[in-house]
Amino acid sequence: MARNIAFNEEEAIQKAMDVFWEKGYKGTSLRDLTDAMKINSSSLYNTIGDKQELFVKCVKHYTEIRKRDLDKRLAGTDSPFSILVKYIDDAVNVIISGENSCMAVKAAFEVATNDKRVKDILKEDSDYAYRFLHQLIKKAIENGEISDEEDPELLADYFISVWAGWYESYILHKDPIKIKKMARYFIRQISK
């Protein structure tokens, strides 16, 4: 007779994601994960797999949350430029108030260089963010909110790169004013 699984897998993945996010992949022990998930190691192995499988599921879960956020932003009624500015402001707030920085950035540097599955998930996430930004920038140009001399592809790529740099800068310097100034500068540069 099959045993019933005694925990909600989605909730367990969320709890494990929080641990990986805080401690990183290498800094997280199996004990950290099972304690947070409130399960024993055999339950983990029997339902999800090993630590690596769990990490892959957590990264996927994290990127799905980000996709839902971007979709919700696009469904809003604000102008494309206003949505873009709000997205930038929210990114700054996450950077300067978040204790754990961005899980995708952490995973890209810590794990994706050696794990194709994680790399593929993060690439898909980055591509999704690129399409989101490209669409907003293109619409903002069409609406006259951004100069028609700007290149939407270049700006979308540039923003993704700049955003990762803001994370690095904050990790190293812990200077929220610096991050806010860089964000305001970026917004001024693309404003018409």
Side-chain angles (χ1 to χ4, degrees):
M1 179 177 207
R3 238 177 48 187
N4 288 337
I5 297 171
F7 70 98
N8 179 313
E9 188 172 325
E10 188 173 332
E11 286 176 15
I13 288 172
Q14 177 66 46
K15 290 174 184 175
M17 184 187 82
D18 292 339
V19 175
F20 281 128
W21 197 347
E22 177 187 348
K23 296 185 173 196
Y25 178 77
K26 291 178 183 165
T28 299
S29 70
L30 191 58
R31 178 67 180 244
D32 294 332
L33 294 167
T34 56
D35 285 352
M37 297 165 71
K38 296 183 176 28
I39 62 171
N40 61 42
S41 58
S42 63
S43 293
L44 174 65
Y45 287 118
N46 290 333
T47 57
I48 295 173
D50 61 8
K51 177 181 168 182
Q52 181 64 22
E53 279 302 314
L54 179 57
F55 185 74
V56 170
K57 287 181 182 278
C58 290
V59 172
K60 185 70 174 163
H61 179 69
Y62 178 80
T63 61
E64 287 169 1
I65 291 169
R66 288 168 41 121
K67 285 179 188 175
R68 285 193 300 266
D69 175 64
L70 298 181
D71 290 344
K72 184 178 174 185
R73 289 173 190 273
L74 283 176
T77 58
D78 292 340
S79 75
F81 189 74
S82 296
I83 295 170
L84 183 61
V85 169
K86 176 81 169 120
Y87 180 69
I88 292 168
D89 289 341
D90 289 347
V92 167
N93 288 333
V94 166
I95 291 167
I96 65 176
S97 66
E99 297 175 13
N100 301 322
S101 77
C102 175
M103 185 174 179
V105 171
K106 277 183 163 180
F109 287 105
E110 184 182 15
V111 181
T113 56
N114 297 317
D115 188 312
K116 183 173 174 3
R117 291 180 304 164
V118 172
K119 181 180 179 180
D120 289 346
I121 293 166
L122 294 176
K123 183 182 179 314
E124 181 183 324
D125 179 61
S126 179
D127 291 346
Y128 201 87
Y130 169 85
R131 289 189 299 274
F132 164 79
L133 292 166
H134 179 268
Q135 183 177 352
L136 282 179
I137 293 164
K138 189 174 178 184
K139 286 182 179 180
I141 289 170
E142 291 168 2
N143 289 358
E145 297 173 298
I146 295 177
S147 170
D148 61 3
E149 294 178 10
E150 295 291 352
D151 178 351
E153 291 86 7
L154 177 62
L155 276 180
D157 277 332
Y158 182 71
F159 177 69
I160 289 170
S161 296
V162 165
W163 185 61
W166 293 348
Y167 270 107
E168 178 186 359
S169 177
Y170 191 73
I171 289 167
L172 297 175
H173 304 284
K174 296 290 185 204
D175 185 348
I177 302 300
K178 184 178 195 176
I179 304 303
K180 289 178 183 179
K181 283 182 177 179
M182 287 190 284
R184 298 278 55 97
Y185 179 78
F186 179 74
I187 292 167
R188 278 196 315 273
Q189 293 305 304
I190 64 172
S191 299
K192 188 165 183 184

